[in-house]
Amino acid sequence: MSTSGTVGQTTISVQQLIDHGARRAGKLSEELTVEQVQASKQSLYYLLSSLSNYGVNYWAINKVIVGLQPEKYEYFLPVGTVDVLNANYRTLTNISTGANSTSGTTLNAFNGVGDLICQLTNNTGSIGIANGTNNAVFISTIGILPAVSGSVTVNLQYSQDGSTWTTVYAPGATTWTSGTWIYYDLDPSATAPFWRIQQTAGVNMGFYQVVFGTMPMSINMARMNRDDYSSLPNRSFTALRPLQYWFNRTIPQPNMEVWPVPNSIQPQLELWLNRYVQDVGDLSGEIEIPQYFYLAIQWGLAHQMACELPQVDPGRMVYCEQQYEKHLMMAQNENRDKSPIFLTPNLMPYTR
C-alpha cells in the first residue's frame, strides 16, 4: 500500500474555506463577488472568536511574564486575552557578579531599585555579567527594565571564555517602553560564566534595571471576584508579596489588579493566559486551529455564509447548522486536558 508518508502537511487556506463554504451553502464559489468574499472572511473571524465561548482552546494558551513595580497595583494584559488560567508570584536569584557594559554607569542597572539609568552611547553596545571561568551559572530568565522607548534589536548570549559568544535567544526587533519590564524565559538555556545582552540595531539601549535570573521560585496566587476586591478595607496596602488578584475584563485590554500592592521592583507575575484565536489574515493564509477542528469550522462558515448569501434554500441553512453543531461537539470532546483529576472535598463548619 502506497501512502503519502506525511501527517498534518496538507494546508487549507482561507480562500479554500470560503470556496467550500459557498458550495455547502448551495452556491458556486465562482458566483461570489468581492464584497461577498470579504463578508465571508469577516464571518470566519466571528466564528473563530466565538470558540472561546465554549471553553479553553488548548492551542491558544500563552505563558506571559509581567514585571512588578513598586506601588503599582494595575497591570494590563496583552490584547486578545480571554482569561487568566494560572497566576503565580515569582522571584528570581539575580546574578550581578562582574557586572559590565560597553558604556554608561553599569551598576545603576544592578542596584535593585531602578532609580538610576545606565545609558549606552551607541546601538551596538552590550551589558552583562562575568561570573568567572570557574563559576558557570545557569540563567533561566533575562529581564530588562528599559529607560528608553523605541525599537531595539538584541541578542541574548552566553560565553564559556568571554570572547566567543553563542546566541541563546534572538527576539528580533522589539518595541521598548520606558519603565515597562520585558522578561525572556530562556528555553532551552545554558550553564556558562559569561552572559550579555548584545544590541545590533535600534535606539541606544538604556536601562533602569537588568536581571540575569536563576532559581525561579513561584507561589500560586488566589483569584478574587469583584465583590471581594471592592470590599477590601485598604486596596492600597503595600507588602512584599501580592498573593491575590482581581481579573478585570475591560476592553480593549483586560487587567489584573493585585493585592497587596507590591513594594519591590524585582518579582514578577508568571501567568498562563487563554487568548483568542489569531485574526484571519490574507486569503492565501491559514487559520490558527488544530486539524481536528477543521470540519467544525468549515460547516460553521458554511452556515454563516448561507445566512448572508442571496437565494439560499432555508433547508440548507438548517442542514449546515446541524452539521456545524455535530462536528463542533466532536471537536470539543477532543479539545480537553486528559490528565488525571483529583477532587479534594473541603468541609468546614458553619453557623446559620
Side-chain angles (χ1 to χ4, degrees):
M1 181 175 64
S2 177
T3 63
S4 66
T6 63
V7 175
Q9 299 303 305
T10 300
T11 60
I12 306 297
S13 69
V14 172
Q15 182 68 69
Q16 289 172 315
L17 286 169
I18 292 174
D19 291 346
H20 282 289
R23 289 190 287 269
R24 295 182 190 213
K27 296 288 184 178
L28 294 176
S29 59
E30 293 82 1
E31 298 178 26
L32 299 180
T33 66
V34 173
E35 181 183 358
Q36 289 169 341
V37 170
Q38 290 301 314
S40 300
K41 184 178 172 181
Q42 290 173 349
S43 292
L44 181 57
Y45 170 73
Y46 299 151
L47 186 63
L48 295 177
S49 298
S50 70
L51 290 179
S52 296
N53 297 333
Y54 298 95
V56 177
N57 297 318
Y58 283 90
W59 68 92
I61 297 176
N62 285 355
K63 179 185 177 184
V64 175
I65 306 300
V66 178
L68 296 176
Q69 297 184 32
E71 300 180 358
K72 181 178 179 180
Y73 68 91
E74 185 180 53
Y75 296 87
F76 283 91
L77 302 181
V79 172
T81 298
V82 177
D83 198 7
V84 177
L85 302 179
N86 305 95
N88 295 327
Y89 168 86
R90 191 179 78 171
T91 58
L92 299 165
T93 299
N94 188 16
I95 306 299
S96 58
T97 306
N100 60 86
S101 61
T102 52
S103 57
T105 306
T106 304
L107 294 183
N108 288 352
F110 291 88
N111 66 5
V113 180
D115 56 342
L116 301 172
I117 297 175
C118 173
Q119 178 63 56
L120 274 60
T121 57
N122 61 69
N123 66 353
T124 57
S126 66
I127 188 169
I129 57 172
N131 213 41
T133 54
N134 296 322
N135 295 294
V137 61
F138 179 85
I139 297 298
S140 63
T141 302
I142 292 179
I144 301 167
L145 184 59
V148 298
S149 296
S151 178
V152 180
T153 303
V154 300
N155 292 323
L156 310 182
Q157 300 178 326
Y158 69 88
S159 174
Q160 301 295 343
D161 57 10
S163 58
T164 302
W165 294 89
T166 300
T167 297
V168 67
Y169 184 60
T174 304
T175 300
W176 285 17
T177 301
S178 179
T180 300
W181 277 102
I182 301 171
Y183 276 98
Y184 298 106
D185 278 0
L186 306 179
D187 185 17
S189 186
T191 299
F194 302 94
W195 289 84
R196 73 178 182 181
I197 302 167
Q198 173 68 48
Q199 184 174 14
T200 59
V203 300
N204 296 0
M205 294 191 298
F207 306 94
Y208 284 119
Q209 286 290 279
V210 171
V211 169
F212 291 89
T214 188
M215 298 177 62
M217 298 291 293
S218 299
I219 302 174
N220 186 248
M221 299 179 68
R223 184 167 180 167
M224 295 185 289
N225 58 39
R226 185 186 68 252
D227 291 338
D228 290 339
Y229 181 76
S230 63
S231 298
L232 292 172
N234 182 4
R235 290 189 292 277
S236 299
F237 174 72
T238 60
L240 176 63
R241 298 191 301 187
L243 295 179
Q244 299 182 81
Y245 70 94
W246 169 44
F247 180 58
N248 187 9
R249 304 184 76 164
T250 59
I251 55 175
Q253 290 175 265
N255 65 72
M256 292 178 66
E257 302 194 13
V258 300
W259 190 86
V261 179
N263 61 12
S264 173
I265 201 172
Q266 293 289 353
Q268 311 100 49
L269 301 177
E270 181 185 41
L271 309 174
W272 278 264
L273 306 177
N274 181 209
R275 59 169 174 81
Y276 287 108
V277 177
Q278 290 180 9
D279 295 341
V280 179
D282 297 332
L283 292 174
S284 60
E286 300 175 65
I287 57 175
E288 189 203 18
I289 59 170
Q291 193 170 333
Y292 59 84
F293 252 94
Y294 263 108
L295 262 180
I297 297 302
Q298 183 65 82
W299 279 111
L301 179 59
H303 174 247
Q304 294 296 317
M305 293 177 66
C307 291
E308 291 198 20
L309 293 175
Q311 299 177 344
V312 171
D313 182 355
R316 283 273 189 173
M317 297 184 193
V318 175
Y319 179 72
C320 289
E321 184 177 23
Q322 291 172 341
Q323 291 299 309
Y324 170 58
E325 291 175 349
K326 180 181 77 172
H327 287 285
L328 180 63
M329 180 179 295
M330 288 190 293
Q332 290 292 351
N333 287 339
E334 174 59 27
N335 183 44
R336 57 192 173 91
D337 188 340
K338 298 181 181 180
S339 60
I341 297 176
F342 297 94
L343 301 178
T344 306
N346 184 16
L347 302 178
M348 301 179 66
Y350 65 93
T351 59
R352 296 186 62 182

